[in-house]
Every structure is written in structure tokens, then in C-alpha cells.
Amino acid sequence: MDKTGGAKKTDFESTLSQLENIVTRLESGELPLEEALGEFEKGIKLAQQGQQRLQKAEQRVQILLEKSAVAPLADYDE
């Protein structure tokens, strides 16, 4: 939950931004070892989430490209 009580924003851009922040903190060299390891673990999870989102987007594009221009479009189930 975020500060407004809603679900955390988990879109691709938000995931990428969080990952960039972690990389910046790790590159600073100022984190204690245990905190750096925790940040690294979070970064790995975020990278995996981003990869999954990209794969889903690629699949969606492939589905749309394979359909005929005259065929009716259907909703994409994630």
C-alpha cells in the first residue's frame, strides 16, 4: 500500500525507476554490506518483474500482428 492507502503503482515505468534508484544507491558505495545485499535482492526481483512485463507486452504485440487487418480484435487476457 502506498501513502494514500491504495495499491502500490507497479507499472513498468515505476519498476524501472525503483531499479534505477537501487543501482544509484549501490554504486554510491556508502551502504553497509547487509543493506547493500538487501537492495541487491530487491533489484533482482524488480528486474525479473520488468522482464515479465516486457515479455507480456511482446506477446501482446505478436498476437495483434498475427491477426488479419479485417479480423475483429478481441481483448487480451493477461
Side-chain angles (χ1 to χ4, degrees), residues 56-76:
K56 285 182 181 180
E58 184 179 0
Q59 289 171 349
R60 189 171 180 184
V61 168
Q62 289 295 331
I63 289 169
L64 293 172
L65 290 175
E66 289 174 4
K67 290 188 179 221
S68 169
V70 294
L73 295 178
D75 289 338
Y76 174 75

Side-chain angles (χ1 to χ4, degrees), residues 27 37 45 58:
E27 288 180 340
L37 286 172
K45 289 178 184 178
E58 184 179 0

